[in-house]
Amino acid sequence: MNKLRTTIAEISRLLLALTFLFSGFVKAVDPMGGAIKIGEYFGIFGLSVSFPLTVAAAMALASFEFFLGAIALMGVYKKCSSRLFLIVMVFMTSITLFLAISNPVKDCGCFGDALKLTNWQTFGKNIILLLFSLSLFFDYHRVRSLFSVSRAWFPTALSVVGILLFSIVNYRYLPMIDFRPFKVGSRLDAIVSIPPGEKADEYEFVFVYEQKGERREFTLDALPDSTWTFVERHERLVSKGYQPPVPDFSVFDPHGDDITEQILHMGGASADSSDKGLILLISPNLSQISETTFDLLNRLYTTAQSLGANFCLLSGSDTEVIDSWRNKASARYPIYIADATILKTMARDNPSILFVSQGIITGKYAYRSLPEANGLSAFVENHLQADIESIDLPKPWGRLSVLSAWVALLIFASVGRLFRRKPSKTEH
């Protein structure tokens, strides 16, 4: 019986550890997305919190979940971690039950954009994790530790510092892994509309007729005789076609005209397009852009012109803010209007830059990632080509250096434990 309880406790520890490590990691990949989700939760309860606070809360939540998973994986601070797991799971199970019943948001955001769960799926998942937490709470003393008490502080600190730095860098320089539709290598037209060659939803007209109090539906090629009285007509879905991930993407000029197709054509989505590419400057809110970026953005526009590429800014701001910002920034490039929420989906920083060539997104960058003036032209020209394989994309693995050191330390400790010589009976 003791052996069975030990096995269950160890399984519970590992599953809780892996779940919390994954949850904390994917939140740290996209702290801006976490901040948006936290803002939604506050809005449910009628609370308004400043964006910097929601960003800080998102980073803190990601770091806490990763920390809890890390100490469980290492088997250190067992009593403390078992209590924390139980408290967290009781709280989260209660919250997700409320969400499942009232359904104020479609996705709880437990795993960011990496894994979408319905509210009822999340509640079921939390019930299972709650049972694991109870097992660990009662039998935490049966869990084996990878590090002694005196040495546990260093790998623990390494994991916390690593995930926090990882989260900060992802916030400042866009997520290392893009879980959203507008990722590098995707076709822009396939994200926002039905591309050529794809089949749209197919509908047929259904006619409702009535005779002697009975109502029946008929198709166009099988209408009833004149003894039936026409009541109404509606459409019925016959076959499901291609569904773009972001079907409500629209771009408008200052006069309110829809120019979405024109933007897609600028990016070379059409086979007959002769455009040399498109640079999209993305800003959900122009009033939040620092004045220190003005010169950089104007140089980027000048560079695009010299290379024959299209350049425009998409903003979620109203026309009054746009006009004010245009004057302050001395912006000579066209500025168009799009939904701010969709722009935040496209890219997390404000502003961000998207490169599009022959309809393909060939690069996505925070403005901080753009090179200095001397290297800007070569950088832009490199991304205005459709061969995504030949583009020199950034290698963001450096932001994982501290976490990689923590993982290496765990592997080293685990291997050392396996090959540690067991004392013979004469040595006892």
Side-chain angles (χ1 to χ4, degrees):
M1 184 64 181
N2 287 337
K3 186 175 181 180
L4 177 61
R5 292 186 62 173
T6 299
T7 301
I8 294 175
E10 288 284 14
I11 292 173
S12 298
R13 172 182 71 88
L14 287 174
L15 290 176
L16 284 167
L18 294 175
T19 301
F20 273 71
L21 285 171
F22 176 72
S23 179
F25 180 81
V26 295
K27 285 185 175 72
V29 165
D30 185 12
M32 177 74 81
I36 294 172
K37 180 60 67 174
I38 288 174
E40 288 182 15
Y41 278 116
F42 279 116
I44 292 172
F45 299 102
L47 302 174
S48 178
V49 181
S50 66
F51 186 71
L53 282 178
T54 59
V55 172
M59 291 184 180
L61 179 60
S63 300
F64 173 72
E65 288 187 354
F66 194 89
F67 155 76
L68 201 50
I71 60 176
L73 184 65
M74 295 184 292
V76 299
Y77 310 120
K78 294 180 283 188
K79 186 175 182 179
C80 175
S81 64
S82 65
R83 291 179 176 179
L84 285 174
F85 272 124
L86 186 59
I87 292 171
V88 169
M89 291 317 306
V90 167
F91 174 74
M92 292 307 300
T93 304
S94 302
I95 290 292
T96 52
L97 177 60
F98 163 75
L99 294 176
I101 295 173
S102 58
N103 199 35
V105 293
K106 293 182 179 179
D107 171 44
C108 72
C110 303
F111 301 121
D113 287 313
L115 180 61
K116 297 285 189 179
L117 298 177
T118 66
N119 289 325
W120 280 112
Q121 288 172 338
T122 301
F123 175 68
K125 178 261 298 180
N126 285 346
I127 287 291
I128 295 173
L129 294 180
L130 178 59
L131 295 176
F132 289 146
S133 300
L134 286 168
S135 170
L136 190 61
F137 178 76
F138 289 112
D139 290 326
Y140 68 86
H141 56 281
R142 300 177 183 273
V143 170
R144 298 179 65 188
S145 299
L146 193 57
F147 297 95
S148 64
V149 175
S150 61
R151 296 180 180 179
W153 68 271
F154 179 69
T156 301
L158 202 62
S159 66
V160 173
V161 171
I163 197 65
L164 187 57
L165 289 176
F166 180 66
S167 183
I168 292 172
V169 175
N170 283 318
Y171 173 72
R172 289 181 58 82
Y173 295 97
L174 298 188
M176 185 188 78
I177 307 171
D178 198 345
F179 297 114
R180 289 155 295 124
F182 296 91
K183 57 175 64 71
V184 174
S186 301
R187 285 194 60 85
L188 183 60
D189 59 345
I191 299 171
V192 303
S193 62
I194 301 175
E198 294 290 348
K199 184 180 178 182
D201 288 348
E202 183 180 345
Y203 292 89
E204 68 175 0
F205 285 116
V206 175
F207 300 85
V208 180
Y209 282 79
E210 183 176 12
Q211 184 187 66
K212 298 178 180 180
E214 177 191 1
R215 289 193 175 189
R216 289 177 58 185
E217 293 183 346
F218 300 88
T219 58
L220 183 60
D221 56 352
L223 294 177
D225 57 37
S226 59
T227 61
W228 291 79
T229 303
F230 173 77
V231 177
E232 62 179 356
R233 184 188 72 175
H234 60 267
E235 289 185 331
R236 179 170 60 195
L237 180 64
V238 176
S239 64
K240 197 73 174 173
Y242 179 84
Q243 298 296 310
V246 187
D248 49 354
F249 174 82
S250 297
V251 181
F252 300 92
D253 65 15
H255 304 292
D257 296 325
D258 191 329
I259 58 168
T260 307
E261 290 300 321
Q262 180 182 336
I263 294 295
L264 296 178
H265 186 85
M266 286 181 184
S270 302
D272 61 345
S273 174
S274 59
D275 289 302
K276 294 184 178 180
L278 169 67
I279 300 175
L280 287 175
L281 188 60
I282 308 297
S283 173
N285 190 340
L286 286 173
S287 62
Q288 294 177 353
I289 296 182
S290 170
E291 294 184 4
T292 59
T293 66
F294 291 171
D295 289 342
L296 174 64
L297 300 181
N298 287 332
R299 286 201 306 270
L300 183 62
Y301 170 60
T302 303
T303 302
Q305 277 192 314
S306 67
L307 295 172
N310 296 292
F311 186 104
C312 63
L313 186 153
L314 304 184
S315 175
S317 302
D318 58 36
T319 53
E320 184 177 344
V321 173
I322 289 175
D323 291 339
S324 174
W325 190 86
R326 189 195 300 272
N327 292 330
K328 288 193 299 182
S330 301
R332 293 180 289 113
Y333 41 83
I335 302 176
Y336 302 128
I337 301 170
D339 181 73
T341 301
I342 293 180
L343 293 179
K344 291 176 184 177
T345 300
M346 293 181 73
R348 294 305 197 193
D349 202 16
N350 185 25
S352 297
I353 297 93
L354 262 69
F355 293 91
V356 184
S357 178
Q358 295 187 28
I360 299 173
I361 299 175
T362 55
K364 183 193 294 191
Y365 297 90
Y367 72 91
R368 301 179 186 87
S369 300
L370 294 180
E372 298 297 328
N374 293 337
L376 188 59
S377 180
F379 178 83
V380 172
E381 190 172 13
N382 177 48
H383 287 81
L384 293 180
Q385 53 182 325
D387 185 6
I388 192 70
E389 299 298 329
S390 64
I391 293 175
D392 185 21
L393 296 174
K395 307 297 187 294
W397 299 105
R399 63 184 77 182
L400 282 171
S401 56
V402 179
L403 285 178
S404 299
W406 173 68
V407 172
L409 180 61
L410 294 193
I411 295 173
F412 178 79
S414 300
V415 172
R417 189 181 188 91
L418 288 174
F419 290 96
R420 191 177 301 161
R421 187 175 66 88
K422 295 182 180 181
S424 63
K425 292 183 179 179
T426 56
E427 293 177 315
H428 284 288

